[in-house]
Amino acid sequence: MAELVIRGGLVYVPGGPVAADVLVRDGVVAEVAGGASAPDAEVVDATGLWVLPGAIDAHVHSRDPGFPEKEDFGSLTAAAAAGGVTTVLDMPNTLPAVENAAVFAEKIELASSRAVVDFGLWGLLGARSSTEDLEGLVAAGVVGFKAFLGYPVRRSNRQVVYTLDLGDPDLEAPPDYGSLARLGPDVARLRVPLAVHAEDPGVLREFARPLASYADLLAARPAIAEAIAIAALGVISQRTGLHVHVVHLSSGLGLSSAREANRAGARLTLETAPQYLWLSDEDHGRLGAVMKMYPPIRTAADRAALQEAARTGEIQVVATDHAPHTDAEKLVPSLEAAAAGSPGVQTLYLSCLELGRRQGDVAGAVRWVTEGPALTLGLYPRKGALQAGADADLVLVDPGARTLLRPEAMLSRQRHGALDGQLFGFAVRAVYSRGELVARDGRVVAEAGRGRPVTVKRT
Ligand SMILES: [Zn+2]
């Protein structure tokens, strides 16, 4: 099959950047070396460019199936491809929720028909999940399970609902510490991670208030809700051996809680998102409800704590929590009325590279979105590293160019996000997925339906 040589770039191999050529054969990296070549290979000149491993966005919401007005696998993965994200891992709160192998199989088929880049699927762990459901999902190939602490499922249509009010009899009890303690040993035995939205619903209920200002949002979803949930998850992890993957870590207090738990023997891995590393409550005046999300973007001190933990590797994964909504749901003046969540997949790589540059460690920032998620979630070494034997998911980045995040350039169905207007000191020039050019200068050049499900190794 076709061979390809990426010539003359600065190549980010696991040990750090080296001047080398990359030889690709049959969609796989065959060799990384000076002078690597093959007689009939197509040659791409990468002089002056960086050659990076494709990014993995471990936390996206495709909205597909169920909410095509917000997003679908086509628009999601087009945005991903344009930004150098060559693998997305989709959360299970699509419609119906991915809570058994039959729903999983249908979603794989749907995603395979629309995806531009490769993808994996998370399964839902609910209070009523059975051991058979969990085993079936793992056998079918889930990345792991996701538990939305405190968020119930609607019995009539199997939709995960974002409400703290459980009065409606159509709502099934949400997962709580009891169900996680009961199901934890099953998940641990199956050797997959349990990703958790870690905000304690009891705290949220106690502090709930009308959202007249951004200060109200911070008061309604205080950091202590995150810290308490993480402490409880830490105990469950210690007692059951469960690998808990804490998603969208947002606070210094939550970070301290995770650190204590891990010191005591828990197995917690940590994920934060670019918006928590970039922004603080001070940005609300400029951005308005576009930056409303759960958990909220907090103070400059929280941001500094998260940046430091990402720099040291205590936070292993940076993923976007890409969560698009329609303009009608999102672009409203009222913080109370606006939906929570922001798109972000298209600027994951650029935002991390820019943060890495400011921290003086670009290679470390590359790991947040490649090796970090691949090792944490069982995709390594096929994904997450630029080395012989890995899928040829490659991103050519121009370190001398700049990209201003303009909503018009976004390919997601929701173009406005929390990082609107940010300037990144890089540009994504070309993106290859398994050796095939899928995007060039922000435009998708590959067919939808070429993306494939990833293979997951038990962790
Ligand atoms: Zn999410």
Side-chain angles (χ1 to χ4, degrees):
M1 223 187 99
E3 291 178 318
L4 173 73
V5 175
I6 313 275
R7 177 146 294 158
L10 189 69
V11 184
Y12 276 69
V13 295
V18 293
D21 305 323
V22 181
L23 173 63
V24 175
R25 188 177 292 132
D26 297 336
V28 172
V29 175
E31 192 184 357
V32 182
S37 70
D40 299 318
E42 178 196 344
V43 177
V44 174
D45 181 9
T47 307
L49 301 181
W50 291 355
V51 186
L52 306 176
I56 298 161
D57 191 337
H59 189 152
V60 299
H61 295 272
S62 69
R63 311 303 195 191
D64 195 9
F67 310 94
E69 69 284 6
K70 296 178 196 264
E71 194 80 299
D72 67 21
F73 264 98
S75 52
L76 167 77
T77 55
V85 172
T86 49
T87 306
V88 293
L89 304 182
D90 193 46
M91 287 296 169
N93 57 332
T94 41
L95 192 61
V98 182
E99 54 188 347
N100 58 53
V103 177
F104 179 88
E106 282 169 25
K107 187 167 168 181
I108 286 281
E109 195 173 324
L110 176 81
S112 299
S113 73
R114 293 183 178 156
V116 179
V117 297
D118 293 344
F119 60 91
L121 303 183
W122 292 90
L124 185 77
L125 184 133
R128 301 271 185 280
S129 293
S130 68
T131 304
E132 293 69 38
D133 288 338
L134 303 182
E135 286 173 349
L137 280 163
V138 170
V142 279
V143 172
F145 295 101
K146 170 76 179 281
F148 296 86
L149 265 188
Y151 290 135
V153 173
R154 204 176 281 294
R155 289 177 216 272
S156 48
N157 67 353
R158 308 310 295 168
Q159 179 183 354
V160 176
V161 191
Y162 287 93
T163 179
L164 294 166
D165 176 6
L166 305 176
D168 182 343
D170 193 28
L171 298 181
E172 191 172 280
D176 57 16
Y177 305 127
S179 42
L180 297 189
R182 180 173 59 80
L183 293 164
D186 277 344
V187 179
R189 179 175 50 80
L190 292 166
R191 305 211 323 275
V192 293
L194 177 67
V196 185
H197 179 127
E199 286 185 290
D200 180 273
V203 174
L204 299 187
R205 234 171 254 124
E206 201 63 37
F207 285 78
R209 68 196 62 202
L211 305 180
S213 68
Y214 200 78
D216 289 329
L217 177 63
L218 288 181
R221 314 211 47 129
I224 194 171
E226 186 169 77
I228 286 175
I230 290 171
L233 292 163
V235 174
I236 293 168
S237 171
Q238 279 177 61
R239 305 312 289 183
T240 63
L242 179 65
H243 170 191
V244 175
H245 182 63
V246 177
V247 299
H248 48 54
L249 185 71
S250 67
S251 67
L253 199 61
L255 177 66
S256 305
S257 185
R259 189 175 293 154
E260 292 299 318
N262 278 333
R263 268 197 206 122
R267 187 179 175 204
L268 306 186
T269 52
L270 304 179
E271 171 186 308
T272 191
Q275 53 271 27
Y276 302 111
L277 297 171
W278 270 88
L279 303 173
S280 75
D281 53 352
E282 290 163 19
D283 291 293
H284 179 252
R286 178 175 58 84
L287 288 166
V290 164
M291 72 178 268
K292 179 183 177 186
M293 61 189 64
Y294 298 150
I297 292 163
R298 303 183 192 275
T299 67
D302 289 300
R303 175 178 59 189
L306 296 169
Q307 285 176 349
E308 179 60 9
R311 192 187 66 76
T312 62
E314 190 174 15
I315 292 174
Q316 296 87 352
V317 178
V318 179
T320 60
D321 194 11
H322 177 87
H325 294 284
T326 63
D327 285 355
E329 292 164 327
K330 195 65 196 176
L331 304 186
V332 294
S334 154
L335 199 55
E336 175 76 38
S342 166
V345 69
Q346 194 168 335
T347 49
L348 173 65
Y349 224 150
L350 287 177
S351 58
C352 287
L353 289 173
E354 180 61 32
L355 280 162
R357 190 177 65 77
R358 293 180 191 180
Q359 292 189 337
D361 185 9
V362 169
V366 169
R367 282 195 289 275
W368 299 339
V369 295
T370 57
E371 211 175 274
L375 286 169
T376 302
L377 303 172
L379 305 180
Y380 193 89
R382 182 112 177 246
K383 303 290 189 191
L386 206 174
Q387 58 190 350
D391 282 353
D393 297 343
L394 308 171
V395 182
L396 272 52
V397 162
D398 184 346
R402 300 201 294 178
T403 302
L404 177 69
L405 200 171
R406 295 173 303 116
E408 313 86 75
M410 297 295 107
L411 303 182
S412 176
R413 223 152 265 173
Q414 173 52 267
R415 293 166 174 231
H416 294 273
L419 296 187
D420 280 5
Q422 299 293 338
L423 185 65
F424 310 116
F426 301 88
V428 174
R429 291 296 180 218
V431 181
Y432 294 82
S433 163
R434 284 177 280 104
E436 184 184 346
L437 182 69
V438 292
R440 180 183 286 291
D441 293 322
R443 288 206 171 76
V444 174
V445 297
E447 300 275 308
R450 61 166 299 288
R452 290 186 202 155
V454 293
T455 313
V456 181
K457 261 198 318 197
R458 311 272 187 101
T459 58

